[in-house]
Amino acid sequence: MSKETAKELIAFIEKSPTSFHAVKTMEEMLDGEGYIKLEEKDRWELVPGGRYYTTRNGSALIAFSLPEEELKGFRIIASHSDSPSFKIKENPEILVENQYVKLNIEGYGGMLCAPWLDRPLSVAGRIAIKEEGKIVTRLVNIDRDLLMIPNLAIHMNREANNGYKYNPQKDLLPLFGEAAAKGNFQEILAEAAGVKEEEILGHDLFLYNRQKGTIWGAREEFVSIGRLDDLQCAFASLKGFLAGAKEKYGAVHCVMDNEEVGSGTKQGAASTFLYDVLLRIQKGMGGDYEDYLRCVADSFMISADNAHAVHPNYTEKADPVNRPYLNKGIVIKHSANQKYCTDGFSAAVFKDICRQAGVPFQTFTNRSDMPGGSTLGNISMAQVSVNAVDIGLPQLAMHSPYETAGVEDTDYFIKAAAVFFE
Ligand code: ZN
């Protein structure tokens, strides 16, 4: 069961090299279940019991299911679609000594740099073209080994193993081809997108690791692939959303973009996207603003973003007592400074959900002398203020292009999400 789920998770992530593709992958799953796509620019005609989804920027998605009876509140799980990577800059080709062509890139989010080197990479994202008088976007994935960021040999950098600071403009530009490849990037991109080179007016393109996902370990207890943060939560949230009965409350599966760069975009958690959708649901169900406020007061959000498991080589990095491990259950994240939105009340609500679902949970806090990260839960509170808990699935090597998680934990979250969406 859990191994099958891990295989499904790998397939989901391999179809989703960028946030744009992750949204497309989720759209296909929702279409398959009969969900109706709503465009934000259209007037929404909602019916009780209806099942819908909408997207923003093609990189954030909110799916929702309405109760047959009066809307009393929302049950929301929020995760994020983006992962740290490198973005291809405008006019990316750089000719080196008339021998090589490399690509100009810049960092997106806080990645671990070293594991991006010496492995086949490619490029995916979206392009913008003019079609029937309008600018439209199209997904693109150059689905082959295309690029490599070669390391400098140890002989030329004797300090390489003594802690190295990567300069993205100097150390991390990927090799694209020999001199004859000059001018080929746009050509290859156009071919992959099925358009003519000169039609491409804009692009949002990112590097991704070509290494396939794998299930491994003495007893096949681990799963590794890129973008587990946070597509493992997005996947489990959607599976639980589809499995849940969704009868009593407005059930909301929400996946925001740009968490890795602070969430401050129109499709990020700081935007009005969730607020706009919830308000439109309320109006669509015949309610007014007063009803919206009443509903929000009786709502609950699970902010789902992966958590750090205790690392076998760095056990001292974890809190002395709150120590999450792989395959030991969903992690509830606490922070006194409210980097996470969990409090005593919301933690209790979530533990109760886990107990009802029959799945284990564990606790994460940062060491008191280490600041740790943040996530989208708190940021979204500025727009939609609800009781909320921050949780995640335990993983190692967060923000590497090849991360590791436990085979069991995805299933635990799917089960808990299904109970939450009951
Ligand atoms: Zn994350």
Side-chain angles (χ1 to χ4, degrees):
M1 172 70 180
S2 51
K3 199 172 154 193
E4 283 314 302
T5 307
K7 283 186 189 164
E8 240 186 284
L9 171 67
I10 288 173
F12 177 89
I13 294 178
E14 284 180 350
K15 280 183 76 178
S16 310
T18 69
S19 58
F20 304 106
H21 293 81
V23 163
K24 183 73 171 39
T25 305
M26 290 187 283
E27 285 192 42
E28 284 167 8
M29 288 168 74
L30 290 159
D31 291 341
E33 299 283 331
Y35 280 71
I36 296 163
K37 183 170 183 175
L38 303 168
E39 298 291 345
E40 282 197 285
K41 65 178 165 46
D42 294 341
R43 176 164 278 276
W44 291 3
E45 307 290 347
L46 307 179
V47 296
R51 297 178 165 194
Y52 308 93
Y53 71 88
T54 190
T55 65
R56 184 175 283 187
N57 193 52
S59 62
L61 176 143
I62 297 177
F64 56 94
S65 170
L66 302 174
E68 290 287 352
E69 271 137 48
E70 191 203 344
L71 188 59
K72 288 183 293 196
F74 298 104
R75 295 291 177 264
I76 305 159
I77 302 184
S79 54
H80 67 89
S81 58
D82 62 321
S83 300
S85 176
F86 293 93
K87 191 169 191 212
I88 307 274
K89 286 179 161 180
E90 296 294 307
N91 310 306
E93 291 179 355
I94 299 175
L95 187 61
V96 183
E97 297 191 351
N98 254 325
Q99 293 296 329
Y100 300 117
V101 179
K102 60 183 181 179
L103 297 185
N104 200 9
I105 51 141
E106 59 183 319
Y108 173 88
M111 75 292 292
L112 283 168
C113 291
W116 282 90
L117 285 85
D118 299 335
R119 69 200 53 225
L121 306 172
S122 195
V123 172
R126 68 173 181 183
I127 55 155
I129 56 169
K130 192 166 183 181
E131 208 172 62
E132 290 163 11
K134 268 172 50 184
I135 304 295
V136 296
T137 59
R138 276 211 198 147
L139 292 189
V140 61
N141 177 8
I142 303 172
D143 191 9
R144 66 180 175 91
D145 297 347
L146 183 75
L147 303 168
M148 189 87 64
I149 309 171
N151 252 302
L152 182 62
I154 186 77
H155 317 79
M156 295 171 183
N157 179 12
R158 294 286 178 192
E159 292 305 302
N161 294 328
N162 299 335
Y164 187 75
K165 188 175 190 309
Y166 289 94
N167 174 339
Q169 193 65 66
K170 167 76 180 161
D171 300 309
L172 299 176
L173 302 189
L175 179 61
F176 170 60
E178 293 186 323
K182 186 83 174 86
N184 283 176
F185 183 71
Q186 193 88 342
E187 200 177 296
I188 291 169
L189 183 65
E191 194 193 326
V195 301
K196 292 199 199 80
E197 251 182 273
E198 58 275 18
E199 288 182 273
I200 300 175
L201 297 172
H203 57 71
D204 297 298
L205 300 169
F206 296 87
L207 302 190
Y208 70 95
N209 183 5
R210 294 282 297 167
Q211 190 171 355
K212 295 277 174 203
T214 183
I215 295 168
W216 61 280
R219 305 181 66 172
E220 300 196 310
E221 53 271 75
F222 306 124
V223 54
S224 293
I225 189 168
R227 305 182 297 286
L228 286 168
D229 171 16
D230 191 27
L231 294 185
Q232 189 181 14
C233 281
F235 170 77
S237 163
L238 179 52
K239 293 281 284 182
F241 173 81
L242 293 173
K246 306 183 281 292
E247 278 164 3
K248 293 185 206 140
Y249 289 89
V252 181
H253 162 76
C254 170
V255 184
M256 295 294 194
D257 193 8
N258 303 126
E259 191 275 340
E260 302 294 357
V261 292
S263 298
T265 58
K266 67 185 185 297
Q267 61 277 0
S271 77
T272 59
F273 188 30
L274 180 61
Y275 169 82
D276 294 344
V277 170
L278 298 185
L279 187 60
R280 292 178 84 168
I281 291 173
Q282 192 71 54
K283 300 222 162 166
M285 292 285 278
D288 58 15
Y289 200 72
E290 173 76 5
D291 294 316
Y292 168 76
L293 295 174
R294 284 172 51 225
C295 261
V296 167
D298 193 14
S299 293
F300 193 88
M301 179 194 278
I302 297 172
S303 160
D305 195 3
N306 269 3
H308 302 296
V310 173
H311 193 293
N313 293 345
Y314 306 93
T315 55
E316 73 283 4
K317 293 289 182 186
D319 181 76
V321 282
N322 297 296
R323 306 175 69 78
Y325 301 100
L326 302 179
N327 290 318
K328 296 293 186 293
I330 305 167
V331 181
I332 305 172
K333 306 195 241 178
H334 293 261
S335 139
N337 293 330
Q338 296 301 127
K339 292 275 185 213
Y340 305 127
C341 47
T342 311
D343 56 26
F345 174 80
S346 64
V349 170
F350 190 74
K351 285 179 191 173
D352 184 54
I353 292 164
C354 288
R355 286 196 176 135
Q356 288 179 56
V359 302
F361 55 83
Q362 31 187 357
T363 307
F364 175 86
T365 65
N366 285 298
R367 279 181 61 111
S368 304
D369 52 4
M370 280 172 61
S374 62
T375 180
L376 77 166
N378 267 16
I379 293 168
S380 72
M381 292 300 129
Q383 294 292 341
V384 180
S385 312
V386 290
N387 280 315
V389 64
D390 255 300
I391 62 115
L393 296 174
Q395 71 159 97
L396 300 171
M398 190 180 283
H399 291 190
S400 164
Y402 209 67
E403 300 173 326
T404 290
V407 159
E408 306 288 337
D409 295 311
T410 312
D411 260 339
Y412 294 148
F413 188 24
I414 294 171
K415 284 182 185 150
V419 166
F420 178 65
F421 286 128
E422 208 157 50

